[in-house]
């Protein structure tokens, strides 16, 4: 259930991302002591009193009318998806995390299961709507992590990336993965603005993660491309892998990520790792270079370990 404090955090985060010039106001002369807009500026732009807006941000208003929510959305230049999330928070309706809404509902076609089974030498994943982890093959489980041990509701790449400290520690450059997750969600939100689950997930991350808010405010570029990541594994050392993302034509909500060994040395290292029967042990970490990817997964595997997560989501 969303609370008044959730609304305050949401409004404050959006206010900090705008400048007076963004809403047609002058920043005036002299140094500003606040980052982004002042409360008074938002109140003026929305046509409400400063006292009322202050109480909204401080979590002292239980319910907000639809008209006030619309005025705030316009003043804060919210996207359509963000506006829906504002209404959801303002109404005090349950903020069900997206992974819980879809992870059990989505199904993966037998064709994709076959694709994953056929990729015995490369990690491969299927990711569903809102970055929900649906399937993974054994190489992905051994290299990336023990998805099978997670609660199905928590198997969501974006939530893990931004809200799980242990997951964050798997990245050598966590900001790379963060940017890729945001870019992926941005693409989903713009392609399917009517999808309530994606909206709920974006709102949840915006409230709970400062980094997510910062990246979201930059409106990530929705490009495509290939990314090479280097996984530092305790058993085989450095493994370079190229991300290749396939969009499922029959279900645009799903995509397949293949982590293809980038060269003979990487292929041999991955083969040795799989032959070793590695399950859970030392931390692997990921470094990344060049441009994008998308993530996903296959059915629960036996004793894979939660290794290092690369940027498994792409713009």
């Amino acid at each position: 259930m969303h609370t008044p404090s959730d609304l305050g955090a949401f409004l404050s985060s959006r206010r900090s991302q705008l400048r007076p010039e963004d809403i047609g106001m002058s920043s005036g002369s002299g140094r500003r002591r606040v980052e982004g807009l002042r409360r008074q500026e938002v109140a003026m732009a929305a046509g409400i009193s400063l006292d009322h807006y202050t109480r909204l941000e401080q979590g002292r208003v239980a319910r907000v009318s639809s008209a006030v929510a619309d005025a705030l959305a316009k003043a804060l230049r919210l996207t359509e998806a963000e506006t829906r999330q504002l209404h959801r928070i303002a109404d005090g309706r349950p903020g069900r995390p997206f992974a819980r809404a879809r992870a059990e509902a989505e199904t993966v076609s037998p064709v994709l299961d076959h694709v994953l089974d056929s990729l015995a030498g490369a990690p491969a994943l299927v990711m569903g709507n809102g970055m929900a982890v649906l399937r993974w093959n054994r190489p992905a489980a051994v290299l990336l992590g023990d998805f099978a041990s997670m609660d199905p509701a928590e198997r969501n790449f974006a939530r893990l990336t931004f809200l799980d400290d242990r997951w964050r520690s798997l990245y050598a450059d966590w900001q790379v993965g963060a940017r890729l997750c945001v870019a992926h969600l941005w693409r989903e939100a713009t392609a399917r603005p009517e999808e309530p689950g994606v909206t709920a997930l974006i709102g949840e991350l915006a409230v709970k993660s400062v980094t997510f808010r910062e990246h979201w405010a930059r409106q990530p570029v929705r490009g495509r491309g290939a990314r090479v990541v280097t996984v530092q594994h305790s058993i085989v050392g450095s493994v370079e892998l190229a991300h290749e993302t396939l969009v499922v034509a029959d279900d645009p909500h799903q995509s397949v990520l293949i982590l293809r060994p980038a060269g003979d040395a990487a292929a041999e290292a991955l083969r040795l790792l799989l032959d070793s029967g590695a399950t859970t042990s030392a931390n692997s970490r990921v470094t990344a270079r060049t441009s994008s990817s998308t993530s996903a997964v296959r059915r629960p595997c036996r004793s894979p370990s939660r290794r290092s997560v690369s940027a498994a989501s792409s713009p």
Side-chain angles (χ1 to χ4, degrees), residues 53 105 132 196 229 276:
Y53 181 78
V229 295
S276 73

Side-chain angles (χ1 to χ4, degrees), residues 18-58:
L18 294 174
R19 299 169 301 173
E21 292 82 0
D22 295 329
I23 62 172
M25 292 185 176
S26 171
S27 59
S29 58
R31 182 179 179 181
R32 295 173 65 87
R33 292 184 295 175
V34 298
E35 180 181 358
L37 296 174
R38 298 186 178 103
R39 285 175 176 170
Q40 182 177 8
E41 291 166 338
V42 177
M44 290 177 58
I48 61 178
S49 71
L50 173 59
D51 177 67
H52 186 54
Y53 181 78
T54 299
R55 288 189 290 114
L56 288 172
E57 274 204 9
Q58 292 176 344

